[in-house]
Amino acid sequence: MATRMQSGRARPRRQPAQRILVVTEGTRTEPQYVEGLNRHLRSAGATAIVKPVGVGKDPAAVVRKCMEIRDKAVSDEKEYDICVCLVDVDRHEALRTACRLADSESILLLASNLKFEAWLRWHVEDKRSALSSGQLDDLLAKLGLVTKKMLAPRFPFHAVQGACEIARRADPDLAAGRIGPDPSSAMPILVDLMSGR
């Protein structure tokens, strides 16, 4: 019996998965969500590596921390293919500066308006009313999605495509580095990247 090399056929080469660095402003909910989504999608084409950074509520500091992690990975020869920062709009004065810095560094800054929890809500209901931060927290607790900034153990990741559709309807101009209306989230961009699209 001829081996593959003897028969003249080379083994097909497997493309290495894209390494996506995801730096989050939040230290609990966002990292838990991205890690859970990674497990749910199980994409052979992409792997997200989550790095929560405790730099307070300054989105420009999140971008600078992303740059630092990215540059260290390059020097360690463990480069990332794509770098993403997840930030909330809240009432950040430095958000526009962060958007410009991210753009100049080829980092995708994905903003959720008012905050990340708006994105989580869309996994279970198609409502786009603007809520205060406290109202959104109370609603997510009532819906059983988040308790004390901890994602529910049975979070409905299976509903992510529906959440993407709602986000795209809420903000038809959805893009990285863009502050959308309240509520909105650019998370569908990360979902597409993690899905290998």
Side-chain angles (χ1 to χ4, degrees):
M1 188 163 129
T3 65
R4 285 184 193 243
M5 295 309 262
Q6 291 172 333
S7 67
R9 291 182 293 177
R11 278 190 121 168
R13 292 212 167 192
R14 187 173 182 197
Q15 288 289 88
Q18 274 198 326
R19 287 174 33 95
I20 304 168
L21 171 63
V22 181
V23 178
T24 65
E25 176 182 51
T27 57
R28 285 186 173 170
T29 312
E30 290 93 330
Q32 289 173 359
Y33 178 83
V34 175
E35 289 166 356
L37 184 62
N38 220 10
R39 286 189 300 274
H40 172 73
L41 294 174
R42 291 188 186 108
S43 172
T47 300
I49 296 93
V50 185
K51 302 285 184 178
V53 293
V55 293
K57 296 271 186 188
D58 178 4
V62 175
V63 174
R64 286 190 297 275
K65 190 67 176 174
C66 182
M67 292 163 51
E68 179 185 315
I69 295 167
R70 176 200 61 194
D71 294 348
K72 181 173 181 348
V74 169
S75 70
D76 293 344
E77 297 183 12
K78 294 181 180 180
E79 291 181 55
Y80 294 101
D81 298 295
I82 302 167
C83 297
V84 176
C85 290
L86 303 183
V87 299
D88 296 340
V89 170
D90 287 325
R91 286 163 196 31
H92 289 319
E93 303 301 320
L95 189 52
R96 294 200 191 285
T97 301
C99 290
R100 286 191 298 276
L101 177 60
D103 186 55
S104 72
E105 290 289 329
S106 300
I107 294 170
L108 300 176
L109 187 134
L110 306 182
S112 292
N113 194 357
L114 174 69
K115 59 184 190 173
F116 189 74
E117 285 75 0
W119 165 251
L120 300 178
R121 174 188 190 187
W122 291 332
H123 286 70
V124 295
E125 65 178 19
D126 184 356
K127 295 186 179 171
R128 290 173 266 165
S129 53
L131 301 173
S132 71
S133 181
Q135 288 172 322
L136 200 47
D137 291 343
D138 292 345
L139 177 62
L140 263 61
K142 181 180 170 189
L143 294 171
L145 298 175
V146 176
T147 305
K148 297 181 182 174
K149 291 289 192 180
M150 298 296 287
L151 210 59
R154 295 183 186 264
F155 187 86
F157 289 105
H158 64 276
V160 69
Q161 291 308 321
C164 287
E165 290 170 15
I166 295 166
R168 287 188 172 101
R169 284 195 309 270
D171 183 8
D173 298 321
L174 181 148
R178 181 176 176 282
I179 302 166
D182 183 7
S184 66
S185 178
M187 280 297 293
I189 294 169
L190 181 59
V191 173
D192 287 348
L193 291 171
M194 290 174 66
S195 299
R197 290 182 241 156

